[in-house]
Amino acid sequence: MNADSTSPAQKIILDCDPGHDDAIAMLLAHGNPNLELLAVTTVAGNQTLEKVTTNARAVARVAGITDIPFAAGASRPLVGPQLIPDEIHGDSGLDGPQLPEPSVPLEEIHAVNLIAQVISENEPGSVVIIPTGSLTNIALFARMYPQLVERVGGITLMGGGHHTGNMTPASEFNILADPEAAAIVFEESWPVTMVGLDVTHQVLAVPERMEQLKAIGTDVAQFIAELVEFFGASYMKERNYPGPPMHDPLAVAAVADPSILRTVHAPIYVETQGQHARGQTIVDFRRTWSNNDPSGLGVTDDPDFEAPNTAVAVDVDAEKFWDLLVDALTRIGNTNF
Ligand code: RIB
Ligand code: CA
């Protein structure tokens, strides 16, 4: 939805595992005028591939998305066991609201091939991929279409954390769900921005934020309120949080308005071994580089230092995020789904 953007909207592909926060991320991606959602692909994660794919198509109907392709991807991780956090997202993967029957069709082709098709059809560097689930599809894309990696404008992913884990003390779910895939993605040459728990835990949908969303007064806002009610109850029970983190919407918001996050470029490594650390994203802050990073986190003045292609979010303008989410939902209006 980029009806009134003055500059061309940023083209994006959302690769997701709905998932309550993925659903909100899709609505944000659709409603924000600075983004042009070209395709939605799904990957097993919060629930099985079949369930997250049905959920993604149901959310499309809530959003009023009718004219972009949806394709299903990997049904399990590359190497490790499948993890399904049904204690957070429930048996359907999107427990809480009544979901409408999906209306957008599911493409025959695999998600990885749809991603390749979209990247090939658009100008080099013009499409950003936003993974909000495990990175299995993105790793498979890099291995199946190595010649297309340099055409990808960037990867802005929800995952990891530089000092925080949720599934274990060291690891975040999207990375732990497929550490080998994550290692491939972080080791590739494309620009990667990691939107990790360190910042997503600063945008919790606490009651006063929910009142802000409900005040929009549309059927879509009510749907989100019911999503957050279930998601919030899970987070309160499992993690004693006052509100569920808006993990995936923050990754989308960061592409819509990069000023929402402060990031530093630093090498990022994914631990695929380790008894306690499998799935950890290790950020080498000793080697950060950023000519606009007031924190001075290991900033080097060596002009020959090659800035890493990976960046990590270290701070967030939460107010700006919430304003952007409310704006996107307001623009969607009622969809009578
Ligand atoms: O750890 C949070 C991430 O895992 C989010 O993307 C959530 O949807 C789950 O996929
Ligand atoms: Ca997700």
Side-chain angles (χ1 to χ4, degrees):
M1 185 181 289
N2 54 336
D4 62 356
S5 58
T6 48
S7 57
Q10 171 60 60
K11 295 178 177 178
I12 63 170
I13 295 171
L14 179 67
D15 184 67
C16 56
D17 63 339
H20 293 71
D21 50 331
D22 302 76
I24 300 170
M26 191 191 302
L27 288 159
L28 172 51
H30 177 60
N32 181 273
N34 300 332
L35 299 175
E36 183 183 357
L37 182 58
L38 298 180
V40 175
T41 53
T42 58
V43 62
N46 285 324
Q47 257 302 344
T48 62
L49 178 66
E50 184 188 3
K51 289 182 178 179
V52 300
T53 304
T54 299
N55 292 341
R57 295 169 59 218
V59 174
R61 181 157 181 182
V62 173
I65 298 173
T66 55
D67 55 351
I68 64 170
F70 281 62
S75 59
R76 49 172 300 183
L78 297 183
V79 175
Q82 182 160 18
L83 305 176
I84 294 185
D86 50 14
E87 74 282 0
I88 298 290
H89 298 278
D91 183 57
S92 73
L94 210 48
D95 282 15
Q98 181 69 38
L99 296 181
E101 271 309 302
S103 48
V104 67
L106 184 63
E107 303 292 320
E108 289 293 313
I109 62 172
H110 189 281
V112 174
N113 297 330
L114 178 59
I115 292 171
Q117 187 178 301
V118 171
I119 296 296
S120 303
E121 287 168 353
N122 286 274
E123 285 300 304
S126 68
V127 180
V128 168
I129 302 173
I130 307 179
T132 61
S134 80
L135 293 167
T136 314
N137 288 342
I138 314 305
L140 288 170
F141 169 81
R143 287 292 184 267
M144 288 171 62
Y145 297 95
Q147 75 284 9
L148 294 181
V149 166
E150 62 185 7
R151 278 183 79 99
V152 174
I155 307 271
T156 296
L157 62 92
M158 192 280 136
H162 57 76
H163 283 96
T164 321
N166 55 12
M167 293 302 282
T168 72
S171 63
E172 176 278 328
F173 175 76
N174 287 339
I175 307 298
L176 184 62
D178 196 340
E180 284 76 15
I184 289 170
V185 172
F186 279 96
E187 285 162 8
E188 272 299 344
S189 57
W190 45 29
V192 176
T193 299
M194 181 171 88
V195 182
L197 297 176
D198 320 279
V199 287
T200 66
H201 283 174
Q202 296 180 50
V203 283
L204 305 183
V206 293
E208 49 269 31
R209 293 297 183 189
M210 283 322 302
E211 288 318 308
Q212 224 183 325
L213 293 180
K214 279 182 188 167
I216 299 170
T218 60
D219 53 6
V220 174
Q222 179 54 34
F223 176 79
I224 286 196
E226 291 168 21
L227 279 179
V228 170
E229 188 179 349
F230 180 90
F231 195 30
S234 303
Y235 257 87
M236 174 53 80
K237 177 167 174 279
E238 296 296 325
R239 306 213 175 120
N240 201 28
Y241 277 35
M246 292 291 99
H247 301 293
D248 299 337
L250 184 58
V252 172
V255 178
D257 178 356
S259 71
I260 283 181
L261 293 180
R262 186 161 64 80
T263 61
V264 291
H265 287 261
I268 301 175
Y269 309 101
V270 179
E271 178 57 69
T272 57
Q273 310 301 319
Q275 182 184 353
H276 301 291
R278 176 168 163 82
Q280 183 175 9
T281 48
I282 297 158
V283 180
D284 187 350
F285 282 112
R286 298 171 305 165
R287 298 179 57 231
T288 56
W289 175 90
S290 168
N291 59 4
N292 67 349
D293 175 14
S295 75
L297 271 172
V299 173
T300 172
D301 54 8
D302 171 359
D304 300 328
F305 179 72
E306 182 82 9
N309 61 304
T310 50
V312 56
V314 292
D315 207 358
V316 54
D317 182 331
E319 209 54 47
K320 211 177 242 188
F321 165 73
W322 288 107
D323 289 347
L324 191 136
L325 179 57
V326 168
D327 173 73
L329 297 176
T330 305
R331 288 171 186 269
I332 293 175
N334 281 300
T335 61
N336 306 310
F337 58 88

